[in-house]
Amino acid sequence: MPTQGPQKRLLGSLNSTSTATPHLGLATNQTGPWCLQVSIPDGLFLSLGLVSLVENVLVVIAITKNRNLHSPMYSFICCLALSDLMVSISMVLETAIILLLEAGALVTRAALVQQLDNVIDVLICGSMVSSLCFLGVIAIDRYISIFYALRYHSIVTLPRARRAIVGIWVASIFFSTLFITYYNHTAVLICLVTFFLAMLALMAILYVHMLTRAYQHAQGIAQLQKRQGSTRQGFCLKGAATLTIILGIFFLCWGPFFLHLTLIVLCPQHPTCSCIFKNFNLYLVLIIFSSIVDPLIYAFRSQELRMTLREVLLCSW
């Protein structure tokens, strides 16, 4: 929603197809006829954003309502839901403003639109950074619960969890403000890409290590029970499937967006890269999809949370 028209989506400062990117020397019209650009209707942003909003609101309500869920682990899951909720609200708000501007129902000064654009850009960027942080924190929490099970409650206490949560939120807001303010510097893009790769490596290392330890534990039990074959095979398939889902969803939903940022640095003038730049909206849709899938992976698999959610829904009726 910048001054050149309402068609540009937010985080346009990181979108090479906008007019803001000449600072980085990006080519905007050097794609050939072979370039495939996926058109994303505004209705899809609204629909996915609303689904994510409802899902994550339910997670927050369920965790808040049930005192048994007031533990560090569920606190991190609740904060992940809040981060995804911010992504949803930002996208829905942005799309609604775009539609109002296009319909002429909202008339305002270009300077005010630009200020609003900057504010929502910070909100979206901050929620993205915090989402990645809490995904990493959840992985660390699960790692400690497996490898330091006897000391878990003395290591991961509520005061420490609260300090970590506050630190993540403050850091997310601070760095997202810096990122949006200095978006035309290559160093900003490099920092964002490095941050994503660090989170991906952290999650991959921790979850693979957890899978290995759990498999060894199941193998030992199977040997005691003399049922090695079926137990090991079944566990291996289940563990590999869980690991694939967690890391696969993370990489598929977040990877294209950060690939976009990487290509801005590496090949801003290349026609192939320019073609990839034109699908920026698709990468944002994938991030919204991630905020829809996160509750299914991290929250709704808990039986107690599902029971609490059922009570909340029944009481609302």
Side-chain angles (χ1 to χ4, degrees):
M1 300 175 304
T3 57
Q4 70 265 30
Q7 298 295 335
K8 192 190 83 170
R9 303 210 65 86
L10 288 190
L11 279 185
S13 52
L14 300 179
N15 182 1
S16 63
T17 61
S18 73
T19 60
T21 50
H23 299 281
L24 297 174
L26 296 170
T28 58
N29 296 306
Q30 294 187 13
T31 57
W34 49 267
C35 180
L36 175 63
Q37 181 177 2
V38 180
S39 177
I40 306 296
D42 290 326
L44 182 60
F45 276 96
L46 277 175
S47 301
L48 293 178
L50 290 174
V51 171
S52 173
L53 190 150
V54 171
E55 265 192 346
N56 288 286
V57 164
L58 290 176
V59 172
V60 173
I61 292 176
I63 293 176
T64 304
K65 179 180 175 62
N66 190 341
R67 297 184 65 87
N68 293 330
L69 301 179
H70 293 181
S71 64
M73 179 183 71
Y74 284 103
S75 297
F76 297 141
I77 293 176
C78 183
C79 288
L80 175 62
L82 285 174
S83 299
D84 291 337
L85 185 62
M86 287 173 57
V87 173
S88 307
I89 292 175
S90 302
M91 293 297 182
V92 170
L93 177 61
E94 176 215 5
T95 304
I97 293 176
I98 288 176
L99 294 176
L100 290 174
L101 288 172
E102 290 178 342
L106 180 63
V107 180
T108 184
R109 295 177 301 166
L112 181 60
V113 174
Q114 184 61 55
Q115 291 177 357
L116 181 61
D117 179 40
N118 293 335
V119 170
I120 302 183
D121 274 354
V122 171
L123 182 61
I124 294 177
C125 189
S127 59
M128 288 181 178
V129 172
S130 61
S131 292
L132 291 174
C133 287
F134 285 116
L135 287 172
V137 168
I138 290 172
I140 294 173
D141 177 75
R142 292 184 173 183
Y143 183 86
I144 296 174
S145 68
I146 291 177
F147 285 87
Y148 303 94
L150 298 179
R151 298 171 51 202
Y152 173 79
H153 293 291
S154 62
I155 296 175
V156 185
T157 62
L158 268 177
R160 288 177 178 174
R162 288 168 183 160
R163 287 195 293 269
I165 289 170
V166 171
I168 289 174
W169 282 115
V170 172
S172 298
I173 295 173
F174 175 74
F175 286 112
S176 63
T177 304
L178 288 180
F179 290 153
I180 297 303
T181 303
Y182 300 102
Y183 68 89
N184 57 339
H185 288 73
T186 304
V188 169
L189 303 183
I190 294 176
C191 288
L192 285 172
V193 173
T194 303
F195 173 67
F196 166 74
L197 293 176
M199 287 296 105
L200 178 62
L202 174 68
M203 292 176 64
I205 293 172
L206 293 183
Y207 280 117
V208 169
H209 199 188
M210 283 186 277
L211 176 63
T212 303
R213 171 60 67 89
Y215 174 69
Q216 292 173 348
H217 181 69
Q219 184 180 16
I221 294 176
Q223 288 176 346
L224 291 176
Q225 297 177 349
K226 297 182 180 180
R227 292 188 291 108
Q228 300 178 14
S230 59
T231 302
R232 278 192 290 177
Q233 184 179 8
F235 177 83
C236 185
L237 291 175
K238 183 178 179 181
T242 302
L243 182 65
T244 302
I245 291 173
I246 292 175
L247 296 181
I249 291 296
F250 178 80
F251 184 77
L252 291 176
C253 290
W254 290 93
F257 176 78
F258 287 95
L259 173 64
H260 172 95
L261 301 186
T262 303
L263 295 180
I264 291 178
V265 177
L266 297 179
C267 55
Q269 299 287 348
H270 196 279
T272 302
C273 296
S274 298
C275 182
I276 295 175
F277 297 153
K278 288 183 177 294
N279 289 292
F280 183 74
N281 289 347
L282 175 62
Y283 312 147
L284 294 183
V285 166
L286 290 174
I287 291 177
I288 301 177
F289 180 73
S290 173
S291 67
I292 294 176
V293 176
D294 283 344
L296 302 178
I297 296 177
Y298 297 99
F300 294 147
R301 295 176 67 183
S302 166
Q303 182 177 1
E304 186 162 9
L305 192 146
R306 290 200 305 270
M307 292 176 59
T308 304
L309 188 58
R310 191 179 299 114
E311 294 175 1
V312 171
L313 293 176
L314 290 176
C315 289
S316 65
W317 287 99

